[in-house]
Amino acid sequence: AQKDNRFKVVHKENAGVSAARNTALDIAKGKYITFLDSDDIFHENAIMFLYNECIKNNADIAIGGVKDIKKDKIICQTRKYKTLLNQEEALNEFFSEKFYKCVIWGKLYRVDLIGEERFNTELSVAEDFDFLFRILKKTNKVILNTVEQVYYYRHRENSAMRQKYDKKFEKEIDLSENVLKDVEKNFPAVKDKAIRRYQRVIVSCIDRCFRENEFASNADYL
């Protein structure tokens, strides 16, 4: 930041990742925005690649490939695929998670597409799913090009998704149910994929309960 005035450093009391991202959205001045979690890595040409994909295809969002890293070893990566998606196709892929994940990173967005949308600070899991769904509801065209790996996601043992069972995980069930109702009303063509995603969330939550022997005491909802 001292060497390049295009960088801005913001100091604020820790209020969670959603609050931090909202602060960034509030002060963003450019035409495009992307997200990088604190311990993950961008490929050195990631931003330029995603930007060029947006421009060439007149797309609202560009999505690149992701490599998952654990202890500095690549354990998996997204399938290599390239296609231009309309809104319905983008939502279909969003729910199936076949070629891209329901996360905000590894993507470049037009700032005016996001507009006043912000992350729900009351969610401590599935906040990406909630935000990305709201953005995709407003998009017309998405370029998906996972042939190029732009983002390296580091697996951490203490991440939110690897914490012990907590009631907060059940919020994702409520969220997925509300999203399903929205889909049934406004995007019926992708209803089946939304149902399958809802089912996966329920099964995942139940599985977590059983694995940690917390079913009787903590999972009243289920």
Side-chain angles (χ1 to χ4, degrees), residues 97 126 129 169-177 194-207 222:
E97 295 190 278
F129 174 77
F169 291 106
E170 295 172 16
K171 288 186 177 181
E172 187 174 6
I173 297 178
D174 293 326
L175 173 61
S176 297
E177 185 175 2
I195 289 174
R196 292 192 187 99
R197 208 276 175 181
Y198 176 48
Q199 292 169 337
R200 292 199 305 273
V201 170
I202 294 174
V203 171
S204 175
C205 199
I206 293 173
D207 176 65
L222 299 171

Side-chain angles (χ1 to χ4, degrees), residues 8 36 42 46-47 51 53 56 70 90-91 101 103-104 118 134 136 139 145 148 158 181 191 197 200 208 211 219:
K8 295 181 180 179
L36 174 69
F42 270 137
I47 305 300
Y51 172 75
E53 288 296 298
K56 287 188 297 184
K70 188 173 184 180
L91 284 169
K101 298 179 181 180
V103 292
I104 60 159
R118 294 296 183 267
R134 287 185 277 123
L136 289 174
T139 193
N145 187 350
E148 297 293 332
N158 62 340
K181 291 177 181 177
K191 176 183 174 181
R197 208 276 175 181
R200 292 199 305 273
R208 189 186 295 272
R211 282 189 288 109

Side-chain angles (χ1 to χ4, degrees), residues 8-13 15-29 33 35 117-119 121:
K8 295 181 180 179
V9 178
V10 179
H11 297 277
K12 68 189 300 293
E13 185 176 349
V17 64
S18 291
R21 290 166 175 170
N22 288 343
T23 298
L25 287 169
D26 289 341
I27 65 173
K29 300 295 184 183
I33 196 163
F35 300 89
E117 298 288 350
R118 294 296 183 267
F119 290 87
T121 55

Side-chain angles (χ1 to χ4, degrees), residues 182-219:
D182 191 331
V183 167
E184 289 175 331
K185 180 180 179 180
N186 300 303
F187 308 99
V190 300
K191 176 183 174 181
D192 288 348
K193 291 293 177 64
I195 289 174
R196 292 192 187 99
R197 208 276 175 181
Y198 176 48
Q199 292 169 337
R200 292 199 305 273
V201 170
I202 294 174
V203 171
S204 175
C205 199
I206 293 173
D207 176 65
R208 189 186 295 272
C209 291
F210 275 118
R211 282 189 288 109
E212 298 180 11
N213 198 27
E214 295 284 348
F215 199 92
S217 60
N218 286 329

Side-chain angles (χ1 to χ4, degrees), residues 47-64:
I47 305 300
M48 182 60 72
F49 171 77
L50 293 172
Y51 172 75
N52 286 337
E53 288 296 298
C54 275
I55 297 301
K56 287 188 297 184
N57 296 281
N58 191 29
D60 302 314
I61 303 172
I63 303 175

